[in-house]
Amino acid sequence: MNLLLTRRHLLAQSAAGACALLAVPAMAQTETLRLAFIPQENPQKLLGDIEAITGWLSAEIGVEVEGFVTIDHAAAVEALRNGDADISFMGALPFVLAEAEIGAVPLLSEIYRGSPSYTGRVFVRRDSGIETLADLRGRDIAFADPVSELGYLYPLAEFERAGLIASLADADTFFGRMFFAGGYQQAMQAMAEGLVDAAGASQFADLLLSPDQQSQVTWIAESETIPSHVVIARPGLDAEVQASFVAAMLRLNEDENSEMLRYLYGPDGYVTADPTAFEGVRAMASRYGLLR
């Protein structure tokens, strides 16, 4: 069952869950396990992907697994807080915000190109004549999500590092207009089609474009390294449920199951999350007033 939830339906949530890493037998609980997915890609495509992966997880875990697409990261956190979702896929920044708010604990981290971390980049079209961040003064830029590390905070911080803005609050005075497109793919598509001059997104976000579009875009700035997307659970989710879910997800690393990874944003695999890996994100969030 796949639902496209509205923000209004999702007012009130966050995340958490510890996990035992041992493979365990099928869960004793009979309740449905509900997964929240953020619209990093086209939400309509995600609906088909969700149906495929939840079907596979249902068979692996032994209980029904359902998934739905939220409007954005904040809505995913709200779904966890309300109990509308048990587990969610999200970025490192929304995780640390949920951690601070209700004590969320990460379960799994994505692996890309052999690493559980990557960077944010500022992308432009090759024919735009834009070669530096300074060239974007007065231009339009699209970011993925206001509660996103690689889709907003870290790429924007590069403008501060370059001395072009005094703080994130000054961004409106530097750019012509700033947009939040709703996901990496949407921000990149807006840039590639000339609707905006630049896009702030993950270093791998250009892979969400068509091959022809990929050849027409480049990047002009790159952020420091940050942990890749994580999988977290709501507070109070049964430990056996968490362990069964984690064990199933780790089996996606096996050759016979790896084809299913394309239904989960296309990572190379998953590893157990290391809470200490998010110290830099916590520091960045505190620096910009996102953590109390």
Side-chain angles (χ1 to χ4, degrees), residues 245-264:
F245 172 78
V246 168
M249 290 289 289
L250 291 176
R251 287 196 289 275
L252 291 171
N253 297 333
E254 300 171 1
D255 289 343
E256 59 267 33
N257 301 321
S258 61
E259 65 176 19
M260 301 303 298
L261 289 168
R262 62 192 175 103
Y263 300 118
L264 287 167

Side-chain angles (χ1 to χ4, degrees), residues 20-187:
L21 298 179
L22 301 176
V24 297
M27 294 183 296
Q29 83 161 35
T30 57
E31 295 182 2
T32 299
L33 185 65
R34 294 154 298 181
L35 311 183
F37 293 80
I38 57 171
Q40 181 174 316
E41 303 177 49
N42 185 315
Q44 294 305 315
K45 174 183 180 298
L46 269 180
L47 292 176
D49 291 348
I50 288 170
E51 184 175 356
I53 193 61
T54 54
W56 183 85
L57 286 169
S58 295
E60 289 291 309
I61 296 175
V63 299
E64 183 178 3
V65 179
E66 296 180 352
F68 58 86
V69 183
T70 65
I71 292 177
D72 53 24
H73 282 89
V77 174
E78 294 299 327
L80 290 164
R81 190 203 307 273
N82 281 350
D84 288 328
D86 300 305
I87 289 172
S88 180
F89 299 76
M90 64 174 52
L93 176 61
F95 157 64
V96 300
L97 298 179
E99 175 190 53
E101 187 174 343
I102 64 168
V105 178
L107 303 181
L108 298 157
S109 291
E110 295 176 342
I111 294 292
Y112 284 97
R113 306 297 189 271
S115 174
S117 62
Y118 47 10
T119 63
R121 289 176 174 173
V122 177
F123 293 88
V124 297
R125 295 182 305 282
R126 291 184 182 276
D127 64 0
S128 67
I130 299 170
E131 298 181 352
T132 69
L133 294 180
D135 293 336
L136 286 170
R137 185 180 299 276
R139 306 285 193 104
D140 298 340
I141 189 168
F143 293 104
D145 187 315
V147 187
S148 173
E149 63 293 334
L150 296 183
Y152 177 51
L153 189 62
Y154 276 65
L156 187 56
E158 291 307 300
F159 289 86
E160 182 180 8
R161 191 190 308 274
L164 298 171
I165 59 176
S167 68
L168 299 189
D170 295 331
D172 285 342
T173 65
F174 177 80
F175 298 109
R177 291 177 297 174
M178 286 175 51
F179 299 94
F180 292 104
Y184 291 157
Q185 186 173 38
Q186 296 92 315

